[in-house]
Amino acid sequence: MSKSFSSRQKAENGKQEVIDQLHEDFEAWETSRQARYHAGEKSWAKLSRHHDDGERIYREFTDSDGNSLKPFHKKLKSLERTAQISGIENAHPVYRYPSAYLDALIHVDDAEMWALEEGRTDDDIIAEQPSTRRKVLEWLAKPENEHVLRAMGDGGTDIWAHSKPGGGKTSFANVIAGIRMPEINNETLLWMLTLDELECLPLAPFMTVAVPKGVDYEVHAKPRNPTLPTTEISLTDVFRDTVEYRNPRDLMTKVVPGGLYAVLPDPQFRGCEKLTQATYTPAHEAEEPAEVTPLRDVNFAFMETRAKDDEFLHPTTIVHDEFSDLVPLNPEADENDQNRKVKGYPVSQGKGRKKNLSTVTLSHSVARVDEGVREKTRWFVTMPKTSPPAASLSGIGNVPINMSYVNRFADRTGRAVIWRNRHYAPVEWPNPFRNYEFRGEISVRYPRREEALDAL
Amino acid sequence: MPRRATMTESGPEAHTPRTTRPALDVLDHDQDRLLYHGDTSRDPPVRALSDGFRTYREALSWYQAAGIRTLGHVEDVIEPRHMLPLSDIFEHLLAERGPVSEYARMRVVEALNDACDLAYREFRERANERVEDDEATSWKDVDPESEQNPLMRPAFRRLDRAQAGALLQLWNGFEDRQAIGRWARSLTVPTHGETPDRFLDMIVSSPVLLEALLDQEGDDAKRIRYRFAVNELLPPFLAAARSLTGSERTDSSGSPHGAFNS
């Protein structure tokens, strides 16, 4: 009797240890404008004197030397300086060919571009931006950097990173979409979650989880250390806070500029059919397993509402992981209208781009994705040990790099070559997963959906 | 054309960069200090060679500093064995030994000019990008007078400090055998792992040496330690200085064709 008590006690202690570790690792950043807004302090307008998350996030991460990341405007200045010292022909490709990388990363709209071209950096449109963005814009307005400004396109961008598993896609998305985009563009981030892994964990202290209203879910932390128990936790043990949404369009009314959101898919797919004109069947309504719509299909509805409904127009980046599952080659006209959904993706991407919607997509393969989607994508990031797609692949156009270039410059995880039909640049980024000590998986379950699936 | 034209450059007048590569300016100034001006801001201070050394300790730390600042080329003119007492060069390197010594010192300084040029040329190739730090916003702002990192490379400074520290510890002697062991272990860094084979064995198997290392008072012991430093430490220190490639920057935009660090 006493033994079972003590072993129960031990298990409790283990669970507490897991939760304590999570609290230590993911202590939420609560003083930003976005954090205060979602905590319900005041209206968005009244919080304008507080800093944005993007002005802070990069400082929480460290580079390979253990120093905290430098603000991006400093990196830009250093690029410019090198070019001044050794001449533009010796400058780094990132600076020399801004369309290869900087254009994808720095988002400017037409009005901002106009002000920058005329050097009106005192205009409210520039001067009232968060400091980290303002300094990037001021850098763009400098006469020396005119060629960079000229290379900037208007509207959203699309970056597609591809590699074998473990190639660094997730850390790329964390650093570029989660750290630099909010810093440079005060970007709003929507990270579309898959349930089995929460790939955006490094950003969790700054993140709000968007939870479908009225859906039961369980969150488990499974430490890799076998002496520690699997522990049920709540989302806020890891993430900063949560917000509930009724349907994709409803979420667009709840997000704010510069906020980072991890979006849990709605297993009931509310509002999705109306948005995409395609069939969505929740598990409990299906009569056979093939009818059940995969959860990832909600991504189509989010793309569509952001592109069409105009509830939220601030620059937004949506991250799609496992992109080749979402928009596969040769989609079938099956019970879930996969064909219609996949063919609709590039359409909504094109519409959304004009309204400052950007995408960061991650996949193993480029070849096994629908060609319409490939055609719409402008930037590709080829990770180490990965062959760039063949130029003969339909929808790709010109591929300016080859395997030997990738091998030479993307010689280890954390480096890659980013390219666009004519230009390319080697880039590297720090490992964001070094920011916390918890080792293991955190997963989300929808027990009702699982029961319904089991019953089929 | 003589690059090191005047000896009055350390005056208070505003610094005008001599090249667009600030690291080269820094190297140039460091070499000026070695030969003509001395460097009191370094710890331990570097005595100018042209003034002559007043103590063995000054001689030792000068040689070590010169190793770093000439990328090891000091050896082409003054080999470590020349730093031993009674060697023909060393006697002239000491201060206040009369006009003959002064003349000899001047010749050595002139010979070292070439070694410095060699280092300059070797480094020039690699000094084409500047090292970024938070205060200096353009290469014009880098003041070689106040730059603390030899060749503007923090790795050089770290090596310099590690070597100077190792010599200082040796100079003062050790409390017990364990301290010697710890010290010998710590030499891995300043020698870039090129400590002589069986270094510790060599120490403990020589009763005279061991005694000298443990004697923190006597002058004889100090002399033995000096010879030991010159014979056994300076050569690997020079080897480490030679192996500095100049690519160990803290942070910069990277070499033109490396990956851009996001």
Side-chain angles (χ1 to χ4, degrees):
Chain A
M1 190 66 190
S2 72
K3 194 179 167 198
S4 91
F5 174 78
S6 84
S7 70
R8 206 181 315 144
Q9 188 60 41
K10 214 167 149 190
E12 283 307 313
N13 290 346
K15 286 180 179 175
Q16 196 53 48
E17 197 180 315
V18 172
I19 290 177
D20 289 345
Q21 178 69 53
L22 291 174
H23 286 178
E24 192 182 311
D25 281 342
F26 300 101
E27 195 188 346
W29 182 257
E30 286 172 335
T31 55
S32 65
R33 187 179 184 188
Q34 289 79 6
R36 288 171 196 268
Y37 174 78
H38 285 299
E41 268 185 32
K42 280 177 188 163
S43 76
W44 179 246
K46 283 194 176 148
L47 290 165
S48 62
R49 65 182 183 86
H50 297 284
H51 69 273
D52 288 286
D53 276 328
E55 293 173 87
R56 176 72 205 187
I57 300 176
Y58 70 91
R59 287 195 245 167
E60 295 297 311
F61 290 84
T62 51
D63 62 17
S64 48
D65 294 340
N67 302 319
S68 69
L69 288 190
K70 295 226 162 141
F72 202 73
H73 65 87
K74 285 211 168 171
K75 303 214 163 246
L76 291 174
K77 279 180 194 137
S78 130
L79 280 174
E80 173 203 333
R81 214 161 36 219
T82 314
Q84 275 179 4
I85 294 171
S86 19
I88 185 81
E89 65 282 3
N90 294 320
H92 194 282
V94 161
Y95 184 71
R96 213 171 149 194
Y97 307 114
S99 66
Y101 183 52
L102 296 182
D103 182 20
L105 197 57
I106 305 174
H107 296 155
V108 280
D109 66 26
D110 196 46
E112 289 165 337
M113 212 124 73
W114 190 25
L116 294 175
E117 278 163 14
E118 299 193 336
R120 288 183 276 116
T121 47
D122 293 338
D123 262 26
D124 290 353
I125 194 173
I126 310 292
E128 288 184 358
Q129 301 274 359
S131 60
T132 45
R133 172 162 175 78
R134 196 189 69 234
K135 287 176 185 163
V136 169
L137 295 178
E138 286 169 353
W139 181 85
L140 281 176
K142 289 168 77 177
E144 306 81 303
N145 305 320
E146 197 199 343
H147 73 288
V148 184
L149 181 61
R150 257 187 286 121
M152 292 287 129
D154 174 18
T157 57
D158 38 79
I159 304 177
W160 180 347
H162 68 112
S163 81
K164 303 211 163 62
K169 296 185 296 285
T170 310
S171 67
F172 174 84
N174 269 279
V175 173
I176 303 304
I179 301 174
R180 290 307 188 187
M181 292 272 195
E183 180 203 338
I184 299 170
N185 307 314
N186 195 26
E187 193 95 5
T188 296
L189 176 72
L190 300 179
W191 191 300
M192 309 310 295
L193 290 178
T194 57
L195 295 190
D196 24 323
E197 260 181 289
L198 304 181
E199 287 93 347
C200 54
L201 270 189
L203 304 167
F206 295 90
M207 269 190 147
T208 299
V209 191
V211 183
K213 194 176 169 70
V215 170
D216 291 340
Y217 60 89
E218 289 171 6
V219 190
H220 287 100
K222 298 179 185 121
R224 212 167 288 163
N225 177 350
T227 63
L228 290 174
T230 295
T231 306
E232 182 160 3
I233 60 171
S234 72
L235 283 171
T236 48
D237 284 327
V238 178
F239 292 91
R240 183 162 72 194
D241 45 28
T242 59
V243 59
E244 284 194 328
Y245 70 93
R246 295 194 309 275
N247 55 52
R249 182 168 183 166
D250 181 47
L251 182 59
M252 291 303 123
T253 66
K254 291 183 169 158
V255 297
V256 292
L260 277 66
Y261 303 89
V263 183
L264 282 174
D266 179 2
Q268 296 168 25
F269 305 113
R270 286 163 291 188
C272 294
E273 287 201 350
K274 197 175 150 214
L275 278 162
T276 58
Q277 310 287 318
T279 312
Y280 283 81
T281 312
H284 63 90
E285 287 174 13
E287 279 167 15
E288 50 185 306
E291 278 178 28
V292 182
T293 306
L295 289 172
R296 60 173 174 263
D297 282 14
V298 301
N299 297 14
F300 296 111
F302 278 98
M303 288 292 287
E304 192 62 21
T305 183
R306 177 61 182 72
K308 209 175 63 182
D309 289 334
D310 295 354
E311 295 285 2
F312 186 74
L313 290 170
H314 184 82
T316 306
T317 292
I318 299 189
V319 178
H320 300 292
D321 203 350
E322 307 295 356
F323 193 50
S324 49
D325 294 341
L326 184 70
V327 284
L329 187 64
N330 304 327
E332 289 169 35
D334 59 6
E335 298 92 327
N336 284 302
D337 288 337
Q338 191 185 41
N339 185 283
R340 184 189 292 258
K341 289 171 184 164
V342 171
K343 296 297 176 191
Y345 179 93
V347 180
S348 48
Q349 189 195 342
K351 268 191 240 161
R353 188 191 282 172
K354 298 193 185 90
K355 297 174 181 172
N356 297 314
L357 170 63
S358 302
T359 53
V360 171
T361 52
L362 316 173
S363 77
H364 300 170
S365 162
V366 172
R368 287 176 39 223
V369 167
D370 179 69
E371 60 181 334
V373 175
R374 267 201 306 264
E375 205 160 17
K376 270 278 193 274
T377 304
R378 288 169 294 170
W379 287 272
F380 290 88
V381 182
T382 302
M383 303 274 165
K385 296 181 197 144
T386 306
S387 340
S392 56
L393 190 64
S394 65
I396 277 287
N398 185 39
V399 181
I401 55 166
N402 58 25
M403 190 66 202
S404 79
Y405 187 85
V406 173
N407 285 341
R408 199 158 130 224
F409 289 100
D411 52 352
R412 59 175 169 80
T413 310
R415 286 188 182 163
V417 181
I418 182 163
W419 52 275
R420 188 181 177 172
N421 51 40
R422 283 179 48 228
H423 297 308
Y424 51 90
V427 293
E428 65 181 309
W429 59 93
N431 184 350
F433 291 92
R434 301 253 159 96
N435 247 35
Y436 58 86
E437 282 175 21
F438 173 77
R439 290 292 161 261
E441 299 299 334
I442 293 181
S443 59
V444 180
R445 288 178 54 215
Y446 293 150
R448 291 217 194 145
R449 178 177 158 93
E450 283 174 17
E451 278 165 27
L453 282 173
D454 286 348
L456 293 171
Chain B
M1 199 189 90
R3 239 179 347 89
R4 223 163 274 102
T6 67
M7 288 167 57
T8 54
E9 279 154 356
S10 60
E13 69 272 22
H15 151 71
T16 39
R18 285 179 269 188
T19 82
T20 53
R21 304 176 183 197
L24 278 180
D25 264 5
V26 171
L27 173 68
D28 203 23
H29 269 73
D30 274 337
Q31 295 176 349
D32 279 352
R33 291 183 186 127
L34 274 181
L35 301 183
Y36 302 111
H37 310 306
D39 184 357
T40 47
S41 63
R42 181 182 178 265
D43 182 35
V46 177
R47 174 92 171 157
L49 180 63
S50 53
D51 294 342
F53 304 122
R54 289 164 303 192
T55 62
Y56 282 172
R57 191 176 153 181
E58 272 181 5
L60 195 60
S61 60
W62 179 88
Y63 196 85
Q64 179 269 318
I68 300 280
R69 287 156 181 76
T70 60
L71 302 175
H73 287 299
V74 64
E75 192 185 18
D76 305 346
V77 180
I78 312 175
E79 290 174 34
R81 65 185 172 87
H82 292 144
M83 297 301 283
L84 291 172
L86 300 181
S87 92
D88 39 6
I89 295 185
F90 186 72
E91 290 303 311
H92 294 306
L93 297 182
L94 297 173
E96 290 166 19
R97 291 286 167 102
V100 176
S101 290
E102 219 161 273
Y103 176 77
R105 258 203 318 276
M106 201 173 75
R107 291 294 303 138
V108 174
V109 167
E110 284 161 9
L112 272 170
N113 244 334
D114 286 342
C116 289
D117 279 344
L118 202 58
Y120 187 95
R121 279 205 298 277
E122 204 168 280
F123 187 58
R124 187 170 181 276
E125 290 294 297
R126 305 188 292 246
N128 56 354
E129 29 33 41
R130 69 168 308 282
V131 177
E132 185 187 68
D133 78 359
D134 283 349
E135 288 83 39
T137 51
S138 104
W139 55 269
K140 286 181 189 142
D141 295 349
V142 175
D143 180 3
E145 288 301 326
S146 57
E147 174 66 42
Q148 292 291 312
N149 297 314
L151 293 80
M152 280 184 78
R153 296 300 195 263
F156 285 50
R157 184 188 193 189
R158 213 162 292 163
L159 183 67
D160 192 30
R161 277 188 176 168
Q163 292 186 350
L167 285 181
L168 200 65
Q169 269 180 290
L170 174 65
W171 187 260
N172 292 332
F174 300 94
E175 270 186 14
D176 49 32
R177 256 187 79 162
Q178 210 192 3
I180 299 179
R182 277 200 302 271
W183 174 76
R185 274 293 309 136
S186 75
L187 289 175
T188 314
V189 176
T191 61
H192 280 189
E194 295 199 37
T195 325
D197 283 347
R198 305 172 62 81
F199 185 67
L200 202 52
D201 285 354
M202 184 184 76
I203 296 173
V204 296
S205 60
S206 157
V208 180
L209 182 57
L210 192 58
E211 197 183 322
L213 290 182
L214 292 171
D215 180 354
Q216 294 179 307
E217 307 297 330
D219 283 346
D220 284 343
K222 207 156 253 185
R223 269 191 283 277
I224 293 176
R225 288 202 296 274
Y226 177 84
R227 300 183 69 93
F228 174 69
V230 169
N231 277 323
E232 302 298 338
L233 283 186
L234 292 185
F237 280 6
L238 287 172
R242 274 193 299 271
S243 72
L244 285 173
T245 63
S247 56
E248 296 96 338
R249 307 164 311 246
T250 35
D251 184 18
S252 82
S253 57
S255 59
H257 299 291
F260 173 70
N261 197 337
S262 290

